[in-house]
Amino acid sequence: MDDHVERAKGAITNALVIHTGILARKADRIYIEDVNGKRYTDFTSGLATTNIGHNHPAVVRAIKRQAEDLIHSGCIFYYEPLLLLAERMREVTPPGLDMFFFANSGAEAIEGAMKLARFSTGRQGIVAFTGGFHGRTFGSMSLTTSSMRYRRSYQPFVPSVYHSPYPYCFRCFFGQRPGTCSMDCYSHLERLFKHLIPPDEVACVVIEPVLGEGGYVVPPKEFLKRLRELCDRWNILMIFDEVQAGMGRTGKWFASEHFGVVPDIMTVAKGIASGMPLSAIASRREIMEKWPKGAHGTTFGGNPVSCAAAIATIETIKLEGLLEKALLTGEHAMKRLRGMQERFPSIGDVRGLGLMIGIEFVREGDLPDTEGLRKVMDFCLEKGLILIECGVDKNIIRLAPPLVVKTEEMDAGLDIMEDALKAVYGV
Ligand SMILES: Cc1ncc(COP(=O)(O)O)c(C=O)c1O
């Protein structure tokens, strides 16, 4: 065992999963270098976060400059990066979502969004979706059902949270197939309102517009549209958790744009500040204004250095045309992966938007092939390609490289994956 893994064992809780044994020294764009000088390609973007690439010079510059001027406010005074970031965010968030609360992490944004929904509606109920991941704090964990391992032994959860199946068509909860589907996932919500909680007691519905940790699943457009109508009918706030799908990951600023649906509240984190801790709750003025002074707060949220990194991130996405690039590179990758799917029966499904692509591994009868995927990922890591899995059975590769990845770099990564498939499945 490597010395650093031993050292970690003696000092860092076992609960924290570090996905590879790499001891990283530095990073640049899509590459990570370890302490021995070995170079890896990171197709995880540090868990879907360094969308503009690791250590982008514009971000590094912004951090250095801001750190020299002002590192902390603790809500004692205003500072220019906070105001400027809100103005920049307003230019890219869905129409009407023009007021913000800045926090530190995805989970914290979800907590705040839940509080805002309950406060502004005076209602208690929260509906989330089975398979969703929203964080590890008590409120966000109460919504999280992507795997039992995030919930085991933490009962009781926040009360009045209800779950309905996420529209995961490849593994439909209702056994339906695309084409003959009658949207039972939607009807289930109506049943929930008849049997478990009346809709006029529901504050909000919280959903990832593209499922992240739960399996990189793209829901049918129709589902999100009907969900929007349902929320409108009952004055329920629709919350999109764009923590993973946002900030250009799907080739649009936010995944909601692919569906033509605008939520009432949106949570953003991960890609917002290229790795600096920052998150945001975005909502309409009339909702945010229901929160009186002091109803919510933070010491570190919206930290000046993180805000400066976020401003540089937004400018870089625009300057380098990264949304368009993500769409093009994503399309190219999907085409190649679909070709591989035809040759390798162990690839059961390839799905995604932009550079948020899920590759689901199966064995006979579409059963999850967790072991095969593990072997493929180990092979890739050995060859210098870092991948990460998702899904309750850990049988889905989430392909989420930085949006700056070039077509030839994408191809080099996919070549390694193809070699891995040949080595593991012998086709
Ligand atoms: C969709 C979604 N929401 C919330 C979170 C929680 O974010 P954080 O780990 O920053 O608390 C995550 C993290 O993976 C996520 O993917």
Side-chain angles (χ1 to χ4, degrees):
M1 179 137 324
D2 291 330
D3 181 46
H4 64 276
V5 178
E6 275 303 310
R7 278 169 59 206
K9 268 191 178 170
I12 295 166
T13 171
N14 193 41
L16 186 74
V17 174
I18 307 272
H19 291 271
T20 70
I22 297 168
L23 182 57
R25 194 173 68 85
K26 60 180 192 176
D28 177 32
R29 285 185 64 249
I30 68 165
Y31 301 107
I32 308 290
E33 192 182 301
D34 77 5
V35 287
N36 302 314
K38 179 166 177 181
R39 198 165 84 142
Y40 294 86
T41 302
D42 178 16
F43 271 13
T44 78
S45 302
L47 217 50
T49 295
T50 54
N51 289 0
I52 64 167
H54 287 276
N55 284 51
H56 194 289
V59 171
V60 174
R61 242 184 345 260
I63 291 172
K64 280 185 177 165
R65 258 193 225 140
Q66 186 56 45
E68 276 174 8
D69 286 350
L70 177 75
I71 292 179
H72 178 68
S73 156
C75 296
I76 302 299
F77 33 77
Y78 291 99
Y79 40 97
E80 189 57 29
L82 178 74
L83 306 174
L84 197 57
L85 177 59
E87 286 158 10
R88 291 284 177 274
M89 282 294 284
R90 197 183 267 169
E91 290 167 9
V92 300
T93 46
L97 302 192
D98 55 3
M99 285 199 97
F100 304 91
F101 179 94
F102 292 109
N104 299 282
S105 68
E108 203 187 334
I110 287 287
E111 294 287 334
M114 290 166 73
K115 285 173 70 177
L116 176 60
R118 279 192 170 168
F119 199 106
S120 63
T121 59
R123 300 173 179 182
Q124 192 171 327
I126 297 176
V127 175
F129 291 84
T130 314
F133 183 91
H134 303 284
R136 312 287 203 134
T137 53
F138 255 98
S140 63
M141 176 182 60
S142 303
L143 309 187
T144 292
T145 49
S146 57
S147 169
M148 191 48 76
R149 64 182 169 275
Y150 304 128
R151 295 169 65 89
R152 181 186 294 283
S153 298
Y154 291 124
Q155 301 262 11
F157 299 118
V158 168
S160 294
V161 172
Y162 300 84
H163 288 92
S164 192
Y166 193 91
Y168 182 176
C169 299
F170 184 69
R171 296 196 183 278
C172 176
F173 274 72
F174 304 96
Q176 298 184 347
R177 303 305 290 161
T180 57
C181 157
S182 54
M183 284 257 158
D184 277 2
C185 47
Y186 174 78
S187 319
H188 192 270
L189 282 163
E190 291 186 327
R191 278 199 289 276
L192 192 145
F193 289 164
K194 275 191 190 160
H195 291 282
L196 293 173
I197 183 167
D200 58 2
E201 288 181 13
V202 175
C204 61
V205 165
V206 186
I207 189 164
E208 291 167 84
V210 178
L211 198 62
E213 165 73 22
Y216 270 36
V217 176
V218 183
K221 207 181 224 178
E222 179 65 15
F223 178 82
L224 290 184
K225 283 194 177 296
R226 285 169 80 167
L227 188 60
R228 176 71 270 180
E229 286 161 17
L230 190 73
C231 289
D232 287 343
R233 193 176 331 139
W234 296 105
N235 289 323
I236 296 169
L237 296 176
M238 185 182 213
I239 302 181
F240 272 2
D241 180 350
E242 293 252 16
V243 165
Q244 189 151 171
M247 299 307 295
R249 172 59 43 207
T250 67
K252 305 268 184 198
W253 282 104
F254 295 98
S256 61
E257 296 168 52
H258 288 282
F259 301 93
V261 172
V262 177
D264 301 299
I265 301 174
M266 181 173 79
T267 54
V268 191
K270 290 191 183 282
I272 190 172
S274 298
M276 293 296 284
L278 186 72
S279 63
I281 305 165
S283 189
R284 289 198 305 277
R285 172 177 297 271
E286 83 249 25
I287 296 172
M288 280 285 191
E289 281 182 346
K290 291 204 172 134
W291 247 352
K293 279 215 176 303
H296 194 47
T298 172
T299 298
F300 296 117
N303 167 277
V305 183
S306 295
C307 286
I311 294 161
T313 300
I314 294 171
E315 278 167 5
T316 302
I317 293 176
K318 288 182 180 169
L319 263 171
E320 298 186 9
L322 294 183
L323 302 182
E324 298 75 15
K325 275 194 184 141
L327 285 175
L328 287 175
T329 325
E331 213 172 282
H332 174 78
M334 290 278 278
K335 216 172 179 180
R336 263 200 74 178
L337 286 164
R338 293 225 158 104
M340 286 190 216
Q341 186 184 6
E342 278 168 24
R343 277 175 290 125
F344 298 98
S346 32
I347 299 185
D349 195 27
V350 176
R351 55 192 178 238
L353 291 172
L355 283 171
M356 187 168 184
I357 300 174
I359 309 152
E360 177 145 2
F361 281 60
V362 296
R363 51 195 173 86
E364 324 74 58
D366 280 348
L367 289 170
D369 188 8
T370 308
E371 208 185 309
L373 176 126
R374 186 71 258 159
K375 287 182 185 160
V376 166
M377 285 190 17
D378 287 348
F379 180 103
C380 290
L381 188 61
E382 185 62 35
K383 301 283 176 203
L385 176 67
I386 309 172
L387 296 170
I388 187 172
E389 80 284 351
C390 61
V392 66
D393 294 304
K394 295 179 173 238
N395 66 317
I396 301 150
I397 290 179
R398 48 175 135 177
L399 199 61
L403 315 183
V404 292
V405 65
K406 296 177 184 154
T407 309
E408 56 271 28
E409 290 169 327
M410 175 59 84
D411 276 333
L414 294 178
D415 287 346
I416 295 176
M417 271 179 59
E418 201 162 343
D419 288 345
L421 285 160
K422 283 182 203 150
V424 173
Y425 295 104
V427 184

